Amino acid sequence: WLADFRQEALAQGISPATLDAALDQAQPIAKVLELDQRQPEFVDTFWNYLDARINARQLKQGRDKLWAHRKLLNPIQRRHGVPASLLVAIWGLETKYGAHMGGFPIPAALATLAHDGRRAGFFRAELLNALRIIQEDHISAAGMKGSWAGAMGQMQFMPSTFLGHAADADGDGRKDIWRSLPDALDSGARYLSSLGWRKDELWGRQVRLPEGFDYGQAMLALKKPVSEWAALGVTLPDGKPLPRSDLPGAILLPQGHAGPAFLVYRNFEVIMAWNRSVNYALSVALLADQLQGQAPPRLGRDADNRRLSRDQVVQMQHLLAGRGFQTGDPDGVPGSRTREAIRAYQQSAGLPVDGYASATLLEQLQQAVAARPSQAGVAPPSVN
């Protein structure tokens, strides 16, 4: 495989010296394959996810970094329009402010994933990009370390993101997102700017929903002007009216109707483009707010906070399918088809239609099956 790849790389202008330095001693990394193929043991709740990432220590470190690097961060903010607090929040969540950037050799890790075949095309292209970075002398092959999946540096860029957006902010002729904080933070701001960050707009805010709110309207794809949400009774958390605005936004319920509600705008989609996890994007945004002195979210803390195991989600998918609500393959991941099936079931059962896979919902499905066991054909699991 390496011999075949080598010929492709040579044809694309990668030098023999670069290939030798990066891949001459490369062997498949078993740990990379293990991490790539590992299914998550639990589907975590928003509150569990958030509390594990925003705590007193994280906040103190972030505020210390904002102050210590203000002479670096302020010009970056002016240059790219990206708040310093947002950059520091991403830096903190990605690598704990540069303390944990990953120790996998990137060329060998990407070669392992490209050879494995599950997403071969993507990782083969990223390996070629990594070799171009080495060939351009931004980092040595030995020094190119990062995560098992190929993300690198203080802000965890994939090689393609590096080639498209990395900056030589300190003027030393290299784009060094590992050791040069000016390069790393300026590169992060450039990337966010290219994704469409708007400097004069918020990412979003927590809101209070009125009694009788139609939870079927709570989805990222459904956007309404702030004024329309206000007309439907959506308010600030303290009950005061939303600001007068026609900015389009969507209602987001990261932990179902019993959890917190957020009104998110276009800048939230930019954070989602960095990482497609809703919990990650909300954690970044809320950490950035708290680094600026805003209060943490409070509403929705009484939501069911029990984590579901992967096996429990598989059982939920079977139970839904047994009642005629198709979820696709029962894979233990509450993806879009499972959420659609949950919404359809909730609609039929007269429940709040939020599409959220919770332990409470699993118990409701179990009770329905206990009453009509022939409808599902599977034994209900415990949620404890």
Side-chain angles (χ1 to χ4, degrees):
W1 184 90
L2 279 174
D4 176 68
F5 176 80
R6 184 182 182 95
Q7 293 306 310
E8 178 184 353
L10 289 168
Q12 294 200 26
I14 304 300
S15 71
T18 298
L19 283 162
D20 289 345
L23 296 173
D24 190 49
Q25 302 297 319
Q27 295 291 327
I29 304 175
K31 187 66 174 179
V32 167
L33 294 177
E34 176 190 337
L35 291 168
D36 183 47
Q37 295 167 4
R38 179 186 295 170
Q39 291 281 357
E41 182 180 358
F42 291 101
V43 177
D44 216 347
T45 68
F46 165 74
W47 285 122
N48 283 332
Y49 186 99
L50 185 76
D51 292 343
R53 287 158 179 81
I54 303 182
N55 50 45
R57 181 179 180 185
Q58 179 83 297
L59 284 167
K60 182 181 186 308
Q61 285 184 304
R63 289 167 181 151
D64 288 347
K65 298 295 183 184
L66 269 174
W67 177 254
H69 300 292
R70 63 193 183 280
K71 292 183 180 178
L72 168 62
L73 287 161
N74 291 340
I76 291 175
Q77 178 171 308
R78 290 193 297 269
R79 189 157 55 244
H80 300 292
V82 176
S85 58
L86 180 66
L87 285 175
V88 170
I90 292 174
W91 185 26
L93 262 64
E94 290 288 357
T95 65
K96 293 190 181 298
Y97 309 107
H100 300 287
M101 292 186 280
F104 287 93
I106 292 296
L110 291 171
T112 297
L113 293 165
H115 172 262
D116 182 54
R118 198 161 67 90
R119 290 176 287 169
F122 172 78
F123 287 113
R124 194 178 185 102
E126 290 294 351
L127 177 54
L128 285 166
N129 288 330
L131 295 174
R132 293 184 181 102
I133 294 167
I134 294 168
Q135 185 155 292
E136 292 174 5
D137 198 30
H138 299 298
I139 191 75
S140 68
M144 183 180 268
K145 300 288 181 67
S147 78
W148 65 268
M152 313 177 299
Q154 308 232 9
M155 306 295 277
Q156 293 290 279
F157 276 14
M158 290 299 289
S160 56
T161 305
F162 180 104
L163 290 176
H165 305 284
D168 174 23
D170 61 13
D172 68 352
R174 294 182 177 181
K175 301 173 183 177
D176 186 351
I177 61 173
W178 294 266
R179 296 164 299 190
S180 169
L181 194 55
D183 288 6
L185 293 176
D186 194 79
S187 297
R190 283 166 56 94
Y191 184 39
L192 287 165
S193 179
S194 76
L195 292 171
W197 184 269
R198 302 186 182 215
K199 65 179 181 179
D200 296 325
E201 295 181 7
L202 301 176
W203 66 268
R205 52 165 52 92
Q206 188 175 26
V207 293
R208 183 186 294 272
L209 303 181
E211 291 290 331
F213 181 80
D214 177 8
Y215 296 109
Q217 296 190 72
M219 58 182 71
L220 284 175
L222 179 61
K223 297 178 176 61
K224 298 177 184 286
V226 173
S227 57
E228 289 191 23
W229 290 120
L232 290 171
V234 178
T235 69
L236 295 176
D238 60 3
K240 293 180 180 178
L242 291 170
R244 293 185 179 182
S245 171
D246 289 324
L247 185 66
I251 298 295
L252 184 61
L253 303 176
Q255 201 162 327
H257 71 280
F262 297 92
L263 179 56
V264 297
Y265 309 128
R266 290 174 291 209
N267 278 342
F268 184 77
E269 296 180 12
V270 172
I271 306 174
M272 285 283 290
W274 184 294
N275 185 313
R276 297 305 303 175
S277 163
V278 166
N279 285 347
Y280 172 91
L282 282 172
S283 296
V284 163
L286 292 168
L287 176 55
D289 283 354
Q290 289 176 60
L291 290 176
Q292 291 183 310
Q294 295 188 37
R298 299 296 186 192
L299 299 180
R301 273 286 181 181
D302 55 350
D304 184 349
N305 211 36
R306 292 172 291 173
R307 298 187 301 176
L308 286 175
S309 72
R310 179 176 176 271
D311 288 343
Q312 287 171 332
V313 177
V314 169
Q315 291 290 342
M316 180 183 292
Q317 291 168 327
H318 279 300
L319 291 168
L320 287 165
R323 297 183 68 84
F325 303 101
Q326 298 304 316
T327 64
D329 293 334
D331 57 2
V333 178
S336 59
R337 289 194 65 180
T338 297
R339 293 193 298 271
E340 290 172 7
I342 290 172
R343 286 179 182 274
Y345 168 73
Q346 290 170 329
Q347 182 74 40
S348 72
L351 300 170
V353 184
D354 59 18
Y356 182 64
S358 67
T360 299
L361 177 68
L362 180 55
E363 289 172 338
Q364 291 165 338
L365 284 164
Q366 290 170 350
Q367 291 166 6
V369 169
R372 301 172 63 185
S374 62
Q375 292 289 319
V378 292
S382 170
V383 298
N384 297 319

